[in-house]
């Protein structure tokens, strides 16, 4: 799976664990809802500054964001 | 410290552990040496696709790349 898709799935799963809507996450991260949607769909090559904004809005550290099996191998290419 | 600076320091420390020059890392990641230098200096808002390229070139997973005290708090703003 591409890294862009993995990031999107990770954001969506954390958002749903927190019971937040895309609109809620948009508000708390100060990013457009349509941008959040396209990131979750794996369509954006998101920057580290925006990953950090989203992680903060989801109340996880970057360490915890990436502490997940999806990010634990280098076999899938971007 | 800004996230851009943290990323740069992390890349540099991993590169030095592996005894690679910026030129070596440039070659193995297929990114310009001048780009690698500016990322290490905290001047670039690097994308996830390029972080993955650099992590692969450094032979670490993204999980391991972010498994570091620098990424373990949300107190410092980007």
């Amino acid at each position: 799976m591409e890294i862009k898709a993995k990031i999107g799935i990770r954001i969506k799963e954390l958002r749903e664990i927190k019971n937040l809507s895309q609109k809620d996450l948009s508000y708390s991260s100060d990013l457009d809802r349509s941008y959040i949607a396209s990131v979750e769909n794996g369509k954006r090559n998101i920057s580290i500054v925006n990953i950090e904004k989203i992680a903060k809005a989801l109340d996880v550290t970057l360490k915890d964001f990436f502490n997940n099996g999806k990010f634990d191998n280098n076999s899938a290419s971007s």
Side-chain angles (χ1 to χ4, degrees), chain A:
Chain A
M1 191 190 300
E2 279 193 4
I3 186 61
K4 293 187 289 182
K6 292 181 185 179
I7 291 284
I9 290 167
R10 182 66 172 147
I11 291 169
K12 187 175 182 180
E13 73 187 10
L14 288 167
R15 177 174 63 72
E16 292 181 344
I17 287 168
K18 306 274 176 179
N19 271 312
L20 297 173
S21 66
Q22 288 185 341
K23 191 174 170 186
D24 295 329
L25 180 56
S26 166
Y27 182 81
S28 51
S29 65
D30 200 29
L31 297 166
D32 283 353
R33 199 204 62 78
S34 62
Y35 176 78
I36 300 282
S38 64
V39 170
E40 286 192 358
N41 286 323
K43 298 196 167 136
R44 296 282 187 140
N45 183 11
I46 188 172
S47 71
I48 191 62
V49 166
N50 283 350
I51 294 173
E52 190 189 44
K53 283 184 184 176
I54 289 172
K56 283 182 180 176
L58 293 168
D59 199 28
V60 296
T61 65
L62 282 176
K63 180 175 171 177
D64 288 338
F65 184 93
F66 286 98
N67 185 16
N68 183 269
K70 281 184 278 300
F71 304 113
D72 204 17
N73 71 75
N74 274 333
S75 60
S77 175
S78 65

